Amino acid sequence: MAKTGMYVGLDIGTTSVKVIVAEYVDSQMNIIGVGNAKSEGINRGIVVDIDKTVQAIQRAIGQAEEKAGIKIRQVSVGVPANLLEVEDCQGMIAVSGESKEISNEDVRNVASAALVRSVPPERQIISIQPQEFTVDGFEGIKDPRGMIGVRLEMFGHVFTGPKTIIHNIRKCVEKAGLVVAEMVIAPLALTETILSDGEKDFGTIVIDVGGGQTTTAVMHDKQLKFTHVNQEGGEFVTKDISTVLNTSFNNAEALKINYGDAYPARTSASEEFPVDVIGKSEPVKIDERYLSEIIEARMEQIFNKSKEVLEEIDALELPGGVVLTGGAASIPGIVDLAQEIFGVTVKLYVPNHMGLRNPVFTNVISIVDYSANLNEVYQLAKGAVTGEVMPTEQSVVYQQETNYETTYDGPQESPLAQDEETSDEGFVNKVKGFFSNIFE
């Protein structure tokens, strides 16, 4: 269940940097601020220029701050699936306390035991996700705290990625004046957020067609089983249009948005529109079918690469079929084309939030929603990776009643707790004064 409070998601994409400010009230997400700035310094999902990326983040954050009326300090930032590896992990410890009651420290220690592994110097552990615990042989326990036991085991998944990618993302966020509250693995957040319980359980493929790359993820048994990144996306479609029609990149993007269709059978060869061609004094007439064939060629190539890797692991046999999302998934006809290529049921996921009903925002919304729904057991296990000790519950929950003229600086103590503390202090001072008067 999502905590009541404020959460900020940051998606650093190849074509744009997106920021969402969401307020949760009784687990209901209300988006109160959005920022969307053109990406510079990102190539195929990877930071290639830190300073330009920082500037793009600051522009997007500025837009979100203005709309939300708050000052953003902490963000949950998405980590791309580039060279991401998912491995099973298992740890076992003896319960430490004399009473043998399992504590927060025991959960953290068993997660640390599960992380004892050899990691290549160029890679880094991003996150650990507990799946279940076993207490003295009793399996299937989700939260063992408070139980009595002698031996505690944890089974889960550990996610590792290239150290360079993780360092550069964190560096850009911190240089933009922000604090990283959570490093969220983008395909994990995506599959957890947009799929139903049945789709997660029985198995579904999610294909995120972004601007600079296409990420394929497989969810089965409510676990992220597989990810693959193809370094082609919607921007490549625009480049193809620009090259074939000999027009500028901006013109090609406008043509894709206004007239594009990924399925030529849906288009007409008699419908024409003008195109400004470099070297021509007058616009040239291009028909709708020809443009569609250009788009189809690239999208067919992208989908076929995903199909190849999915066939290797028999993922296309899963009953959930394929769910498409991402900015380039909004091209008309793309579902028909994907269904023809994959040979399974294909549907398009579009966020259902006012003003954000476009698949381009799916990733950043999923980052926020995933972060808001992380439980305490995960936070304890995360401490084994980061070395942080999980704060008390009151300090984890974001301030419930935001003062929109003050700085939003992440977790804050509740006003009620502050009042109680002040009241207790006053009482102690009165008692001290009473006894000091007696003994003077």
Side-chain angles (χ1 to χ4, degrees), residues 93 234 270 402 426 430:
I93 62 163
S270 59
T402 306
K430 283 180 181 178

Side-chain angles (χ1 to χ4, degrees), residues 325-388:
T325 194
S330 59
I331 300 173
I334 201 162
V335 172
D336 295 320
L337 178 63
Q339 197 154 310
E340 187 177 281
I341 291 171
F342 292 111
V344 299
T345 303
V346 178
K347 66 179 182 180
L348 176 66
Y349 178 84
V350 179
N352 191 29
H353 296 277
M354 188 68 71
L356 299 177
R357 293 188 177 118
N358 189 313
V360 75
F361 292 104
T362 305
N363 249 320
V364 68
I365 291 172
S366 69
I367 289 168
V368 173
D369 200 51
Y370 180 81
S371 300
N373 284 283
L374 290 172
N375 58 32
E376 288 187 9
V377 171
Y378 166 82
Q379 298 289 356
L380 289 165
K382 172 191 167 187
V385 178
T386 62
E388 299 171 358

Side-chain angles (χ1 to χ4, degrees), residues 145-158:
R145 292 175 299 166
M147 297 180 180
I148 297 292
V150 174
R151 188 179 75 251
L152 176 65
E153 294 178 80
M154 189 198 84
F155 299 87
H157 293 109
V158 61

Side-chain angles (χ1 to χ4, degrees), residues 94-343:
V95 179
S96 57
E98 289 184 11
S99 66
K100 298 303 176 186
E101 184 174 305
I102 297 168
S103 65
N104 287 353
E105 190 63 25
D106 290 318
V107 173
R108 179 181 162 127
N109 288 340
V110 77
S112 296
L115 289 174
V116 176
R117 60 185 56 240
S118 177
V119 180
E122 72 277 5
R123 297 188 68 79
Q124 180 178 334
I125 295 173
I126 305 171
S127 176
I128 183 171
Q129 189 180 46
Q131 294 297 315
E132 69 173 27
F133 295 85
T134 299
V135 179
D136 292 346
F138 294 97
E139 302 174 349
I141 298 169
K142 295 300 181 184
D143 186 351
R145 292 175 299 166
M147 297 180 180
I148 297 292
V150 174
R151 188 179 75 251
L152 176 65
E153 294 178 80
M154 189 198 84
F155 299 87
H157 293 109
V158 61
F159 300 87
T160 64
K163 193 174 286 186
T164 302
I165 292 177
I166 299 161
H167 169 80
N168 288 348
I169 290 173
R170 187 177 288 275
K171 181 77 174 177
C172 290
V173 174
E174 291 174 350
K175 204 170 178 183
L178 304 166
V179 174
V180 177
E182 193 73 45
M183 297 283 279
V184 178
I185 296 162
L188 177 61
L190 198 60
T191 50
E192 285 282 1
T193 302
I194 73 173
L195 299 181
S196 67
D197 283 342
E199 288 172 329
K200 291 183 219 175
D201 195 6
F202 289 98
T204 306
I205 300 159
V206 175
I207 300 179
D208 174 24
V209 191
Q213 60 185 29
T214 299
T215 303
T216 303
V218 178
M219 175 72 88
H220 185 226
D221 289 336
K222 297 186 178 179
Q223 299 170 22
L224 180 65
K225 296 288 190 180
F226 173 82
T227 62
H228 174 265
V229 176
N230 172 20
Q231 300 294 350
E232 295 174 276
E235 200 172 62
F236 286 71
V237 174
T238 305
K239 287 177 181 176
D240 289 348
I241 296 170
S242 174
T243 301
V244 174
L245 300 184
N246 201 24
T247 188
S248 69
F249 185 87
N250 289 339
N251 284 342
E253 182 68 18
L255 290 172
K256 182 179 75 174
I257 293 170
N258 296 326
Y259 304 103
D261 196 299
Y263 202 61
R266 291 162 34 107
T267 62
S268 169
S270 59
E271 291 289 333
E272 295 184 332
F273 45 83
V275 177
D276 292 327
V277 176
I278 294 170
K280 301 280 186 181
S281 56
E282 296 290 331
V284 175
K285 291 282 187 179
I286 300 294
D287 68 78
E288 193 179 66
R289 176 72 55 83
Y290 186 46
L291 176 64
S292 180
E293 287 170 350
I294 299 170
I295 296 171
E296 180 199 33
R298 175 62 69 173
M299 291 310 306
E300 188 175 3
Q301 181 172 308
I302 290 171
F303 286 150
N304 275 324
K305 286 185 178 179
S306 293
K307 184 181 179 181
E308 286 175 16
V309 296
L310 290 170
E311 285 179 334
E312 288 176 8
I313 59 172
D314 296 325
L316 290 171
E317 303 298 322
L318 296 173
V322 174
V323 177
L324 289 178
T325 194
S330 59
I331 300 173
I334 201 162
V335 172
D336 295 320
L337 178 63
Q339 197 154 310
E340 187 177 281
I341 291 171
F342 292 111

